[in-house]
Amino acid sequence: DQQVKQNSPSLSVQEGRISILNCDYTNSMFDYFLWYKKYPAEGPTFLISISSIKDKNEDGRFTVFLNKSAKHLSLHIVPSQPGDSAVYFCAGGSGTYKYIFGTGTRLKVLA
Amino acid sequence: DVKVTQSSRYLVKRTGEKVFLECVQDMDHENMFWYRQDPGLGLRLIYFSYDVKMKEKGDIPEGYSVSREKKERFSLILESASTNQTSMYLCASSFGLGDPLKYEQYFGPGTRLTVT
């Protein structure tokens, strides 16, 4: 059973526009969520996090929104840049060090 | 800068061979993890360790074992490699105490293992 789902395997966006990556989860015990970015031939790198006591967290061009009632979170990248082209993973955790990762969304930002 | 290193970037092994994948972190992290990444399946946790000599099974431990004799080193062992273990293997580490949002995991560059 996939506890964290990223239903869009890929997304293409024009440079300068907004990229919206979505993530759904089924485990109501999840209290913390992380987003990672992964370039080919590299390990994932941490991007941004959010706690369930918040509905929004912002860091520069990256904003994560959390809708607990819908068990849904999204990552917004504004403006999108070609260097943002990568695979993005969301992950959910329940107050321990163990996170469950989604299947990833490949973002392509077109110049 | 946190550094997680993995012993090999690419590895080719034959079916039935015993395979060792090594991971070393330099941040004094309590937790260490082994994942495999496959297309369409994302990152799946194989094993993790929260202390020296301590380990717990992840979601897909079958066919794997681990060893953590020192805090900075976590090894993944494929006892008898099979073709369905061809994958990208990623090691990660994190702090073990405090704010869970600080449990972000730092990943190594990965080892692409091919079993023929």
Side-chain angles (χ1 to χ4, degrees):
Chain A
D1 178 35
Q2 195 79 35
Q3 295 185 58
V4 179
K5 298 178 186 179
Q6 294 177 257
N7 292 318
S8 297
S10 63
L11 176 69
S12 289
V13 170
Q14 208 64 36
E15 182 180 5
R17 307 294 289 266
I18 184 171
S19 295
I20 301 176
L21 295 94
N22 294 305
C23 181
D24 296 297
Y25 62 96
T26 58
N27 191 334
S28 56
M29 299 297 291
F30 284 160
D31 282 340
Y32 302 91
F33 302 90
L34 308 176
W35 282 93
Y36 281 81
K37 177 166 76 171
K38 185 182 186 298
Y39 292 119
E42 293 183 17
T45 54
F46 170 73
L47 201 54
I48 192 167
S49 61
I50 190 166
S51 159
S52 62
I53 62 173
K54 293 186 171 183
D55 54 17
K56 177 182 172 180
N57 190 25
E58 200 169 348
D59 184 1
R61 296 186 298 114
F62 302 90
T63 304
V64 56
F65 295 92
L66 175 62
N67 182 334
K68 277 194 72 178
S69 60
K71 293 193 179 69
H72 176 83
L73 62 156
S74 60
L75 175 69
H76 292 211
I77 307 173
V78 185
S80 302
Q81 298 173 354
D84 296 329
S85 297
V87 177
Y88 289 79
F89 293 97
C90 66
S94 54
T96 71
Y97 41 77
K98 183 181 167 187
Y99 281 86
I100 306 295
F101 284 80
T103 52
T105 295
R106 182 178 301 280
L107 172 67
K108 191 168 184 180
V109 180
L110 308 167
Chain B
D1 251 9
V2 175
K3 200 148 193 160
V4 180
T5 56
Q6 295 183 228
S7 49
S8 306
R9 294 299 299 269
Y10 300 94
L11 211 51
V12 179
K13 294 291 181 181
R14 293 201 181 276
T15 302
E17 277 192 83
K18 190 168 186 175
V19 182
F20 292 86
L21 302 181
E22 303 282 335
C23 176
V24 177
Q25 51 96 2
D26 66 359
M27 267 298 285
D28 203 33
H29 283 165
E30 290 82 8
N31 304 322
M32 295 189 76
F33 308 81
W34 275 107
Y35 294 88
R36 61 179 282 178
Q37 182 194 1
D38 300 288
L41 297 175
L43 299 175
R44 293 181 293 166
L45 182 64
I46 304 171
Y47 265 98
F48 67 99
S49 168
Y50 49 90
D51 202 350
V52 175
K53 296 191 188 295
M54 306 303 286
K55 61 187 178 187
E56 279 194 29
K57 292 180 181 179
D59 300 318
I60 50 164
E62 297 79 19
Y64 303 95
S65 62
V66 291
S67 171
R68 193 165 180 202
E69 297 296 319
K70 293 185 176 182
K71 191 175 185 180
E72 68 271 17
R73 190 179 296 268
F74 193 34
S75 302
L76 179 70
I77 303 151
L78 287 68
E79 297 290 342
S80 177
S82 63
T83 54
N84 63 12
Q85 292 178 309
T86 291
S87 186
M88 169 70 84
Y89 289 88
L90 291 158
C91 175
S93 69
S94 74
F95 286 113
L97 300 168
D99 180 357
L101 279 176
K102 290 194 167 38
Y103 291 160
E104 67 179 81
Q105 296 177 18
Y106 295 84
F107 284 84
T111 296
R112 181 159 295 283
L113 172 67
T114 302
V115 182
T116 61

